[in-house]
Amino acid sequence: MRYTDAEGKVEVWSGSIQPHDVWLIKGGFRFEVCFNRYYQPIRKGGAVLVKFVADIAKKAELCPIGVVNWRNVNKQVQADIVELIRGKFIIPDGKIYNDAILKHVGKHRRQWKFELKARYFNPTVRTRQQIENDNPGGIVRGTWLELVKYWYSGQSKDMAKSKIDASVASSSSSKPRIEVEDEVFNELMYDKDNSNQKPVGYGFGVKRSDVMGVHALLRKKGIASEMNNDNNDLKVKFARHKKETANLIMRLSSSVSDLLTAVQSGHVSPETLAATNSALRTITAQ
């Protein structure tokens, strides 16, 4: 992977690059990153950048997790994060890239909070005081207490509940509440046709429609179904070919075995030679 120093001299870093490597590198060195048209970081440089962003999201001193909404985080804190990342990576200038960086940091911050909740918030088996005292390393106690307080509040449960209540209230049918809850769950967790789990995120600024739209266009033009049919035909042909090849190998093995037996006994008949030769020709042609 290429990186440059403060004077623009290009160096090459071979091997794995982890977030701690990015933190430790000094002297104005910055890693090169390529982006696609969706402002997503791609290739090896992009992978290193994404890992580093995820690491920033887990550092409470840089990315506060006590604030509920990422948009409400102090703008200077957000600006400092952008400056830090730009100091480690070569990223094109422009607000659109800054916004994409912050959006990605916010996504990883949200994921980190979810991980913390899944790991530590188990009120059915531990008291609130026990959870508050189980302060994870790297998170100051004041921030941890704010987070636990939020988990115990009804606010963290409001989104799904409000969707369910709204769906029940607007429903003109006598649909049981459990069915409405299932529909809301599917809406939150799956695509509209419930066929694919929603990915956590597509990266720097790309929207789900930008990705899913490709499949929609293929379906609209009938290309997707044709591709599926072609794939099914190929699978059938491959299975048939595999079976025929296995039969030919068994036939050749049998013929060679008969030939070796005949050679050992000193009685090689023309029929044995012809059968072996025929098996060899057939499998070669196949």
Side-chain angles (χ1 to χ4, degrees):
M1 178 177 169
R2 288 157 54 96
Y3 64 102
T4 63
D5 61 16
E7 298 178 354
K9 182 181 178 181
V10 179
E11 302 284 348
V12 177
W13 185 307
S14 59
S16 174
I17 304 175
Q18 299 303 319
H20 65 265
D21 297 316
V22 181
W23 284 112
L24 291 174
I25 195 167
K26 304 293 182 182
F29 286 96
R30 294 190 298 165
F31 293 97
E32 295 185 4
V33 183
C34 295
F35 293 82
N36 62 17
R37 64 191 183 97
Y38 298 118
Y39 312 106
Q40 290 176 296
I42 57 176
R43 300 175 187 158
K44 185 174 182 179
V48 174
L49 174 57
V50 170
K51 288 181 181 179
F52 186 69
V53 168
D55 199 54
I56 288 177
K58 293 182 178 181
K59 295 185 179 298
E61 68 275 16
L62 298 174
C63 187
I65 60 173
V67 182
V68 174
N69 195 317
W70 170 240
R71 295 186 182 89
N72 297 333
V73 171
N74 186 282
K75 298 303 179 184
Q76 185 57 52
V77 172
Q78 296 186 8
D80 290 343
I81 291 175
V82 172
E83 184 179 357
L84 170 64
I85 294 174
R86 285 188 173 277
K88 299 287 187 180
F89 296 88
I90 299 177
I91 297 175
D93 293 330
K95 184 177 182 298
I96 193 167
Y97 284 96
N98 292 346
D99 291 344
I101 290 172
L102 291 175
K103 183 176 181 180
H104 213 55
V105 173
K107 183 198 74 171
H108 283 287
R109 172 182 176 270
R110 186 167 61 252
Q111 289 178 336
W112 176 230
K113 291 173 69 175
F114 287 160
E115 289 177 25
L116 289 173
K117 185 174 183 180
R119 191 183 308 169
Y120 293 95
F121 187 65
N122 44 6
T124 58
V125 297
R126 296 199 301 172
T127 66
R128 178 168 178 168
Q129 184 176 3
Q130 288 175 322
I131 295 174
E132 289 177 341
N133 291 336
D134 193 10
N135 198 135
I139 300 179
V140 297
R141 180 162 178 77
T143 300
W144 176 246
L145 293 178
E146 289 179 10
L147 201 55
V148 174
K149 180 181 178 181
Y150 172 67
W151 290 337
Y152 269 100
S153 71
Q155 187 179 357
S156 64
K157 307 170 186 176
D158 283 345
M159 184 177 72
K161 184 178 183 300
S162 62
K163 282 182 172 288
I164 292 170
D165 292 340
S167 297
V168 171
S170 62
S171 177
S172 59
S173 65
S174 58
K175 186 181 295 184
R177 183 180 179 88
I178 186 64
E179 292 186 17
V180 176
E181 291 178 356
D182 288 341
E183 290 178 359
V184 171
F185 174 80
N186 288 333
E187 179 185 345
L188 291 172
M189 295 301 296
Y190 295 88
D191 295 320
K192 289 184 178 180
D193 60 359
N194 295 339
S195 62
N196 296 312
Q197 240 183 340
K198 284 184 180 179
V200 174
Y202 295 107
F204 279 43
V206 65
K207 297 176 293 186
R208 182 172 62 173
S209 59
D210 294 329
V211 178
M212 297 304 177
V214 175
H215 300 289
L217 180 62
L218 291 176
R219 286 195 297 270
K220 184 176 180 180
K221 294 185 176 182
I223 297 175
S225 59
E226 292 176 7
M227 290 173 63
N228 288 334
N229 290 336
D230 291 343
N231 286 337
N232 290 334
D233 290 342
L234 287 174
K235 288 179 181 178
V236 172
K237 290 179 180 178
F238 178 75
R240 186 187 308 122
H241 176 76
K242 184 177 179 181
K243 183 177 180 180
E244 291 174 352
T245 302
N247 290 336
L248 286 173
I249 291 174
M250 290 181 63
R251 176 183 167 189
L252 176 62
S253 177
S254 177
S255 297
V256 170
S257 178
D258 291 343
L259 177 61
L260 290 175
T261 301
V263 169
Q264 289 175 345
S265 63
H267 302 288
V268 181
S269 67
E271 291 79 8
T272 302
L273 289 173
T276 305
N277 186 47
S278 175
L280 284 170
R281 287 179 179 275
T282 302
I283 199 168
T284 301
Q286 183 73 8

